[in-house]
Amino acid sequence: MKKKVLSKNKLYTLIALLFIIGILGFLQANSAQYSYQISILERSAIYAVVAVSMNLLTGFTGLFSLGQAGFMAIGAYTVAILTIPVETRASVYYVDGIAPFLANLQCPYWLALIIAGLFAAGVAALIGIPVLRLKSDYLAIATLGFSEIIRAVIAAPQLNKVTNGSYGLKSIPGFPNLYVAFGLCALCILLMVLLINSSYGRAFKALREDEVAAQAMGLNLFRYKELAFIISSFFTGVGGGLLAIFMRSIESKTFSINLTYDILLIVVLGGIGSITGSVIGSFLVTAGREWLRFFDNPLYIAGVQIPLFRSGFRMVIFSILLMAVVLFYRRGIMGSNEFSWAGLFRLIKRIPNKLKKKNKAQKGENA
């Protein structure tokens, strides 16, 4: 029976992958017509990578960090500096010029992403030594302060020849195609899934459940906290690099505190401790904000303007919808569960059963 179930699950997964590849192929073939939809999907996939990396730290290790925007900024600027074509750098660094050691330094985007992740991980290793001795809210405040320090350093005029200061960086090469964008995001998430299901992942979960018991079992608390922080920062830096490639131009304002709050919202909405929830939450939050844009435009009915439909009303509706989701799903959409085909089929079967019960109850009341 188990072999049959596994074979069925593999078949369903293969069909789903082929379906997704088919959709990506259709969008790629009609990229000019569906450019807006493609941009939403690409941003959602990139945010999913960062959300899963944050969930790795918060949901699976129990460390509450709010420094994601800072590590994303490190990754984004690293990728931008390493991938901007040499011939266009004069038009990018037009104020103070570019540092001589960067003038002819260029590498492919995949290598730049790895370097960006390693650079973010290296910075995380340094700041993790003092910061990870803090707990709960104090850790969150410390990492949030670090994020703002990074943004201020990037925008500092003293680094104009490296980061171009407050002028930002442009002319960053974009993704060659949709397959590359989604393939890189899927690869990052897959690596984190494998890590969570490994012995290191079990050690992270032990820290989350009870630090005293984990230490009694022989786990070095600081070592595993530092390791989780470094790995999470690595993938956050890669996510920032992916965002730079997607946007093709960046500035320090892009990586404000609001970006961290957006990622935290995705994690909480999807479910703390659920990778599937982070992915679903990323697509729901990113797409939801865009699809509700018609609320920002004036609405006229029979020549009369509806007063509520104006700029900013979209976020009011979006916030109400989020509150409704949190009220009905207090642990997030997925809670701490992961997607499974068996669970999906059970959910599908429950819907008609609930409808039948409602119909029977209504008939009983009418009788």
Side-chain angles (χ1 to χ4, degrees):
M1 285 295 292
K2 288 184 178 179
K3 289 183 179 179
K4 288 183 178 180
V5 172
L6 288 173
S7 60
K8 283 184 178 180
N9 289 340
K10 289 180 180 178
L11 178 61
Y12 296 146
T13 303
L14 179 61
I15 293 171
L17 286 174
L18 291 175
F19 179 71
I20 293 171
I21 292 171
I23 292 176
L24 294 179
F26 173 78
L27 292 174
Q28 182 64 40
N30 301 274
S31 56
Q33 183 179 356
Y34 296 100
S35 59
Y36 178 61
Q37 289 82 355
I38 288 172
S39 67
I40 294 174
L41 291 175
E42 286 183 340
R43 184 182 288 270
S44 300
I46 293 167
Y47 281 0
V49 173
V50 183
V52 173
S53 68
M54 185 179 190
N55 216 342
L56 170 66
L57 193 64
T58 303
F60 291 95
T61 314
L63 300 175
F64 187 35
S65 170
L66 291 176
Q68 276 64 35
F71 292 113
M72 287 182 74
I74 292 173
Y77 270 83
T78 302
V79 168
I81 291 169
L82 293 176
T83 57
I84 294 175
V86 174
E87 60 272 13
T88 62
R89 293 189 177 186
S91 61
V92 176
Y93 292 87
Y94 59 90
V95 180
D96 295 327
I98 187 172
F101 69 93
L102 292 176
N104 297 309
L105 183 62
Q106 187 179 1
C107 62
Y109 65 89
W110 59 267
L111 180 58
L113 287 171
I114 295 174
I115 295 172
L118 292 174
F119 190 23
V123 174
L126 291 176
I127 70 162
I129 295 172
V131 166
L132 291 178
R133 303 187 186 279
L134 303 173
K135 293 185 179 181
S136 188
D137 299 340
Y138 299 101
L139 175 60
I141 293 170
T143 50
L144 186 64
F146 158 75
S147 176
E148 282 300 289
I149 290 171
I150 288 296
R151 194 164 69 91
V153 169
I154 287 173
Q158 290 82 358
L159 289 179
N160 276 2
K161 292 186 177 182
V162 178
T163 64
N164 210 25
S166 59
Y167 301 101
L169 296 174
K170 60 181 182 178
S171 300
I172 305 169
F175 292 112
N177 52 60
L178 266 174
Y179 294 113
V180 171
F182 278 84
L184 290 171
C185 293
L187 177 61
C188 291
I189 294 172
L190 177 61
L191 291 174
M192 285 186 275
V193 170
L194 293 175
L195 174 68
I196 290 169
N197 293 325
S198 68
S199 58
Y200 289 100
R202 288 190 289 273
F204 296 157
K205 292 174 185 177
L207 291 179
R208 177 193 63 188
E209 297 300 329
D210 193 329
E211 288 189 5
V212 177
Q215 190 172 21
M217 292 297 291
L219 292 180
N220 187 325
L221 298 185
F222 178 77
R223 177 191 170 193
Y224 282 99
K225 285 182 180 179
E226 178 85 348
L227 184 61
F229 191 53
I230 290 171
I231 294 171
S232 174
S233 301
F234 173 85
F235 286 105
T236 303
V238 173
L242 292 170
L243 186 64
I245 297 173
F246 164 73
M247 296 181 68
R248 306 192 68 176
S249 63
I250 56 172
E251 56 182 358
S252 59
K253 294 179 182 178
T254 307
F255 305 96
S256 64
I257 297 175
N258 292 332
L259 181 57
T260 297
Y261 292 158
D262 287 343
I263 303 302
L264 179 61
L265 171 63
I266 290 170
V267 173
V268 173
L269 185 67
I272 297 176
S274 172
I275 296 173
T276 310
S278 294
V279 175
I280 294 172
S282 175
F283 281 87
L284 286 178
V285 171
T286 308
R289 282 179 173 171
E290 296 299 325
W291 290 337
L292 293 174
R293 282 193 180 276
F294 65 90
F295 284 107
D296 285 345
N297 300 321
L299 177 65
Y300 293 89
I301 298 177
V304 179
Q305 182 179 357
I306 306 300
L308 292 176
F309 283 74
R310 60 180 65 185
S311 179
F313 187 58
R314 167 178 64 105
M315 295 309 298
V316 175
I317 299 297
F318 181 71
S319 301
I320 293 172
L321 291 174
L322 288 178
M323 289 173 61
V325 171
V326 172
L327 286 173
F328 286 102
Y329 300 92
R330 297 190 178 183
R331 296 183 60 198
I333 295 172
M334 294 296 293
S336 58
N337 303 315
E338 298 295 347
F339 172 82
S340 67
W341 291 110
L344 177 62
F345 293 141
R346 282 197 299 268
L347 179 63
I348 293 172
K349 289 179 181 179
R350 285 178 189 172
I351 296 173
N353 291 334
K354 287 182 179 180
L355 292 174
K356 287 179 181 178
K357 288 180 180 179
K358 285 183 179 180
N359 291 332
K360 287 182 180 179
Q362 289 177 356
K363 288 179 180 178
E365 290 177 1
N366 294 332

